[in-house]
Amino acid sequence: KLNTLSLMHNKIKSNGLVSLCKKLSLLTKLTHLNLSANFILYEEIEPFITTLNNLSSLLYLNIANNQIMSDGLVLISGKLHKMPQLQYVNISENCIKSKGFISFAENMKYCPNIHTLVFYGNQIGYDGMKAIVNNLYTIPKLRELNIGFNLIGDDELKMLAKEIGSVPLLEVLNLRE
């Protein structure tokens, strides 16, 4: 019956993550998962990726402030097709570069119910921003996009300005540096 699990601001590492993931796969009603501000590293994320296959009811995913890196986001992105109901994603401050954002952008189409994306404090880069901007139309319910502290320059801002009209429900755009 558990639907919300928040383990933010702890010291979860690989052993804890493996144990947690074994139990998470049994939580078929889980809608909210917050693992932000732990010590989850890309090298140790495989059990979590496998668990995502079983979390078909997940609406809210917050894995901010870990170290999943670009390769970790690529792995997570490959599971988005299993989570079409996902509404909120926070992957802030995870040392993610363009490669990770390109993969995420290419898979956003599997989650048309996303209303909030928080990518704050990564290194989105030109190619990552291009991929996100070119795929915004695939998530028509998007109301909030936070891409602040990503060293966004004029070229990235021009791309965003050109495509922002493809997101009719957007209410909050955070580019704060």
Side-chain angles (χ1 to χ4, degrees):
K1 292 188 179 198
L2 185 68
N3 64 17
T4 300
L5 179 59
S6 179
L7 296 168
M8 65 187 294
H9 292 282
N10 284 291
K11 297 179 182 180
I12 297 172
K13 295 182 183 178
S14 65
N15 289 339
L17 188 60
V18 168
S19 297
L20 174 65
C21 288
K22 287 178 183 175
K23 298 300 179 187
L24 281 179
S25 63
L26 303 174
L27 300 176
T28 57
K29 302 289 185 200
L30 193 67
T31 59
H32 291 68
L33 179 59
N34 188 341
L35 294 172
S36 65
N38 280 286
F39 296 99
I40 300 170
L41 305 174
Y42 156 69
E43 296 85 1
E44 304 163 341
I45 202 165
E46 192 60 44
F48 179 69
I49 302 302
T50 303
T51 300
L52 290 177
N53 286 327
N54 301 315
L55 298 180
S56 60
S57 60
L58 197 62
L59 303 174
Y60 175 101
L61 176 62
N62 186 342
I63 51 174
N65 300 82
N66 284 287
Q67 294 293 316
I68 65 166
M69 316 291 275
S70 294
D71 289 337
L73 185 55
V74 168
L75 293 173
I76 291 169
S77 298
K79 299 299 180 185
L80 290 178
H81 68 281
K82 299 277 189 175
M83 299 179 283
Q85 71 297 336
L86 197 59
Q87 298 175 2
Y88 177 99
V89 179
N90 186 341
I91 52 174
S92 298
E93 299 186 21
N94 267 294
C95 301
I96 300 168
K97 296 182 180 181
S98 286
K99 175 184 173 182
F101 286 106
I102 291 168
S103 179
F104 188 87
E106 291 170 350
N107 288 283
M108 289 189 313
K109 62 187 173 201
Y110 299 116
C111 302
N113 295 309
I114 290 177
H115 60 68
T116 303
L117 288 175
V118 185
F119 298 154
Y120 177 90
N122 284 289
Q123 298 170 24
I124 198 166
Y126 180 85
D127 291 333
M129 178 65 107
K130 182 177 179 181
I132 294 293
V133 166
N134 288 339
N135 286 284
L136 284 175
Y137 74 93
T138 67
I139 47 175
K141 295 180 181 179
L142 187 66
R143 294 190 318 256
E144 180 177 348
L145 177 62
N146 183 336
I147 49 178
F149 281 95
N150 271 288
L151 302 175
I152 294 167
D154 289 343
D155 292 337
E156 292 91 343
L157 188 57
K158 286 177 189 175
M159 280 190 289
L160 182 60
K162 184 179 175 184
E163 296 298 325
I164 205 68
S166 68
V167 190
L169 299 178
L170 191 65
E171 298 171 350
V172 178
L173 176 61
N174 185 346
L175 302 170
R176 180 186 61 197
E177 286 291 341

